[in-house]
Amino acid sequence: MWAAGLAGVLLLVLLPLLNISLPGMLPGPSYTPGSLQLLAMCMLMAAAALTYHLLLGVAGLLSFGHALYFGAGVYGLAVILQNMDIPLLPAMGLTLLIVIVLAHVVGSISLRVSGIPFAMVTLAFAQAGSVIVGRNPDGRTGGDEGLTLRTDNLPDFLVGVVNTRNLYWLALAVLVAVFVIVTWVQSSRAGHAAAAVRENELRVRVLGLQPYLVKLLIFVLSAVLVCVIGMVFLLLQSGAVPRAISSDLTITLLVMVVLGGVGSRWGAVIGGVFYTVLDQRLTALANSEAVKSLPDVLRVPLSEPLFILGTLFILVVLFLPGGVTGTAERLAQRRRRGNRRAGNQGAETPRDILEDAA
């Protein structure tokens, strides 16, 4: 899997230099700005889904307010660049410091409860952030119109459509870095403790560990990572929009993780890319002449991308409960069992019986 991942990263690095066309998925050849913009967005959303996997898949924390930190990265960097005459890296550092403090405060309050109450508390904080952005205090956030990115203090290689290739490589670097960090955390002592808390918090407390501190660590780390992704998202989009801090974004990340497979890092990446491509291309399909010429019974549902995505999500939950990666893993296990049975002349071993029961 790691070898395949490295080969895939190498291909993605070279993709802007190649002339590859994927009709129906990319708006043009792979080297064009439109295709690179879509691919960079897929990578950022996959990285954001990885941070949500750290919450839900590792620590078992169902948060409805994860967009608060993504939006804080987007709006925090935009506001700082708009009102302070400092370069990009110090502005990103200041934004990151603000989000670290914010995540500690929100996490220390929200983690006093668990389950659905925890989800509701995080949702309340996210809604408060969304309301503040919508109220446009002192004209800082732009309200419903959003905020345009000020490019005076940005490096020239990150500004303009001609530099979309550089932003694509930056998004790829962020995805790889987030994947490595999430893998390291998940395999560390803190990750193992978080997984134990997810399975049985009372037993972890009896063993002398502190579940609250473990969950707070995972909560803050996921917030910091998604804040960095939000700042790169701002550079890619050249502006901040209210959706970046809305609860819809958190639900979108949850759907990505479920589609790919809860508990799987690769599943979060696959779900993020799959959902983003569908979201972008279904919007183009809804506005196409082919759909507009259909009878009303077909035109109405096909002209609503969210209806199609919602239907797909329901089908995955009903028929593919493990998501894409879970289904692939089950098929691989069945193939291995079939090979073993063929080697044993069709006899079913005790191991096969236990695997079938599982």
Side-chain angles (χ1 to χ4, degrees):
M1 182 65 74
W2 280 102
L6 291 175
V9 170
L10 180 60
L11 175 61
L12 291 174
V13 170
L14 299 176
L15 196 59
L17 308 177
L18 304 175
N19 184 2
I20 299 177
S21 297
L22 297 175
M25 292 185 61
L26 298 179
S30 58
Y31 64 87
T32 58
S35 296
L36 293 177
Q37 178 92 1
L38 175 58
L39 290 171
M41 181 65 67
C42 290
M43 293 173 189
L44 291 181
M45 289 298 101
L50 272 172
T51 65
Y52 197 82
H53 156 76
L54 200 58
L55 278 176
L56 181 62
V58 177
L61 299 174
L62 178 61
S63 171
F64 286 159
H66 202 50
L68 174 63
Y69 314 104
F70 183 87
V74 174
Y75 274 95
L77 181 59
V79 171
I80 290 174
L81 290 175
Q82 192 80 20
N83 298 277
M84 300 177 65
D85 191 18
I86 58 176
L88 176 62
L89 289 181
M92 294 179 73
L94 180 58
T95 305
L96 201 58
L97 180 61
I98 294 172
V99 170
I100 290 174
V101 175
L102 175 65
H104 270 94
V105 173
V106 175
S108 61
I109 297 173
S110 304
L111 290 171
R112 298 295 178 181
V113 293
S114 60
I116 298 301
F118 168 79
M120 293 296 102
V121 173
T122 56
L123 176 62
F125 278 107
Q127 288 296 101
S130 180
V131 169
I132 292 174
V133 168
R135 291 286 180 86
N136 191 21
D138 297 328
R140 302 290 187 183
T141 62
D144 295 335
E145 300 297 326
L147 198 61
T148 303
L149 175 64
R150 180 185 173 187
T151 59
D152 297 349
N153 294 324
L154 297 184
D156 293 336
F157 64 87
L158 294 178
V159 179
V161 178
V162 295
N163 291 313
T164 306
R165 180 186 300 177
N166 298 328
L167 291 169
Y168 165 87
W169 280 325
L170 178 61
L172 176 59
V174 168
L175 174 58
V176 172
V178 170
F179 190 92
V180 171
I181 292 173
V182 170
T183 302
W184 173 69
V185 171
Q186 196 167 351
S187 60
S188 66
R189 286 187 176 183
H192 292 157
V197 171
R198 180 194 65 211
E199 297 300 326
N200 194 323
E201 183 173 344
L202 179 59
R203 181 172 296 179
V204 172
R205 190 178 291 110
V206 170
L207 291 174
L209 301 178
Q210 299 185 31
Y212 176 82
L213 294 180
V214 173
K215 292 189 291 185
L216 182 61
L217 174 64
I218 298 297
F219 187 92
V220 174
L221 180 60
S222 66
V224 169
L225 291 177
V226 82
C227 166
V228 174
I229 297 167
M231 290 188 282
V232 178
F233 177 87
L234 172 69
L235 300 176
L236 180 66
Q237 295 294 98
S238 298
V241 292
R243 187 182 181 276
I245 201 170
S246 67
S247 57
D248 293 344
L249 179 60
T250 302
I251 301 301
T252 299
L253 296 178
L254 174 61
V255 171
M256 290 176 181
V257 172
V258 173
L259 286 177
V262 178
S264 170
R265 295 186 299 272
W266 289 107
V269 173
I270 294 172
V273 173
F274 184 62
Y275 183 96
T276 305
V277 170
L278 278 181
D279 186 36
Q280 297 290 328
R281 302 315 296 164
L282 287 177
T283 302
L285 175 65
N287 297 324
S288 65
E289 293 297 330
V291 172
K292 293 180 180 178
S293 62
L294 293 175
D296 290 345
V297 66
L298 296 175
R299 178 181 57 81
V300 173
L302 290 179
S303 61
E304 295 293 337
L306 289 179
F307 174 82
I308 301 175
L309 288 171
T311 303
L312 176 64
F313 178 72
I314 293 173
L315 293 176
V316 169
V317 171
L318 289 177
F319 300 106
L320 303 176
V324 175
T325 54
T327 302
E329 189 173 337
R330 286 198 301 273
L331 292 176
Q333 288 177 353
R334 289 179 183 177
R335 189 181 303 112
R336 288 195 296 267
R337 288 200 299 269
N339 293 336
R340 286 200 304 267
R341 290 171 182 174
N344 295 329
Q345 298 179 350
E348 191 172 31
T349 64
R351 180 178 179 180
D352 295 332
I353 296 174
L354 290 175
E355 288 183 350
D356 289 336

